[in-house]
Amino acid sequence: MSSNSEIDALIDLMAKLPGLGPRSARRAVLHLIRKRALLLTPLSDAMQQVAATARECLNCGNVGTTDICDICNSEDRATGELCVVEDVADLWAMERAGVFKGRYHVLGGTLSALDGVGPDDLRIPRLRDRVTAENITEVILALNATVDGQTTAHYIADQLEGQVRLTSLAQGVPIGGELDYLDDGTITAALRARKEL
Ligand SMILES: [Zn+2]
């Protein structure tokens, strides 16, 4: 510990962040204190600002600082394509890639019999409403390649069948990946999703 209770309290809070343990929290806090003007004060201001304004978009579940997020507000994003993801982190990952120009729908998890998560616990009813209200022509299921993710994708596909074009992300060899290192499931999925050259 740091021999100061206020700094210790800050270290304890930092250590709760994903990817940080007590040791890296101590190093981060020390760094912040040394860079007080450059880093600590602006960080504290930014945190206060976000703490006061952060909320979930009422339409898609993205996290922003307004009731309706920038993506839902942008007419340019009304392409008729709706990309369904499990979590806001997945939406942000898609946005980082910068290749998808439509809108998103964040489910807030996956169906799970084990954890007692049903369709009404996720934003599935809202998804059905949006398909009609926003003239959606294609729903892209960008769910994780886990058992729960794929169960959820099949459930949504059943719900929307006949109303809209349904697609899912391809599964297979990652960019830069070597076949020898892939598991059997990935190789099977990649072979099934093969395409003409
Ligand atoms: Zn939104």
Side-chain angles (χ1 to χ4, degrees):
M1 288 283 108
S2 73
S3 81
N4 175 288
S5 61
E6 282 160 336
I7 293 175
D8 283 348
L10 180 57
I11 293 170
D12 284 347
L13 285 169
M14 293 282 280
K16 292 190 165 75
L17 295 176
L20 288 190
R23 185 164 179 271
S24 33
R26 280 196 298 275
R27 289 177 56 187
V29 167
L30 198 54
H31 185 74
L32 286 169
I33 292 170
R34 283 178 180 147
K35 304 261 177 192
R36 188 194 322 216
L38 203 68
L39 217 51
L40 182 54
T41 307
L43 180 68
S44 153
D45 291 348
M47 281 182 155
Q48 248 175 353
Q49 186 76 26
V50 171
T53 55
R55 69 197 78 178
E56 282 182 354
C57 172
L58 296 174
N59 196 40
C60 74
N62 187 14
V63 169
T65 56
T66 48
D67 280 342
I68 301 295
C69 74
D70 293 348
I71 295 174
C72 288
N73 257 329
S74 164
E75 272 309 308
D76 292 345
R77 305 294 296 247
T79 60
E81 292 173 340
L82 194 61
C83 179
V84 177
V85 292
E86 287 178 26
D87 191 80
V88 174
D90 303 329
L91 186 165
W92 290 3
M94 293 282 296
E95 281 296 283
R96 275 202 307 278
V99 71
F100 179 65
K101 302 298 178 200
R103 286 181 179 154
Y104 295 94
H105 192 76
V106 182
L107 292 176
T110 47
L111 295 174
S112 169
L114 211 62
D115 298 324
V117 182
D120 292 338
D121 300 313
L122 306 174
R123 283 191 196 82
I124 292 178
R126 172 104 199 106
L127 172 62
R128 281 198 297 262
D129 293 345
R130 287 189 68 191
V131 166
T132 316
E134 296 179 36
N135 297 319
I136 299 300
T137 52
E138 178 176 356
V139 168
I140 302 159
L141 297 166
L143 301 178
N144 292 333
T146 57
V147 172
D148 284 345
Q150 294 311 299
T151 306
T152 309
H154 283 126
Y155 178 83
I156 293 173
D158 279 349
Q159 294 285 306
L160 297 177
E161 207 187 341
Q163 298 175 48
V164 68
R165 181 176 179 223
L166 287 158
T167 56
S168 70
L169 294 188
Q171 294 173 353
V173 185
I175 304 289
E178 294 176 39
L179 290 188
D180 195 23
Y181 288 93
L182 298 182
D183 62 276
D184 298 352
T186 304
I187 289 182
T188 307
L191 186 66
R192 286 194 184 132
R194 69 188 181 278
K195 57 189 171 76
E196 299 288 342
L197 287 174

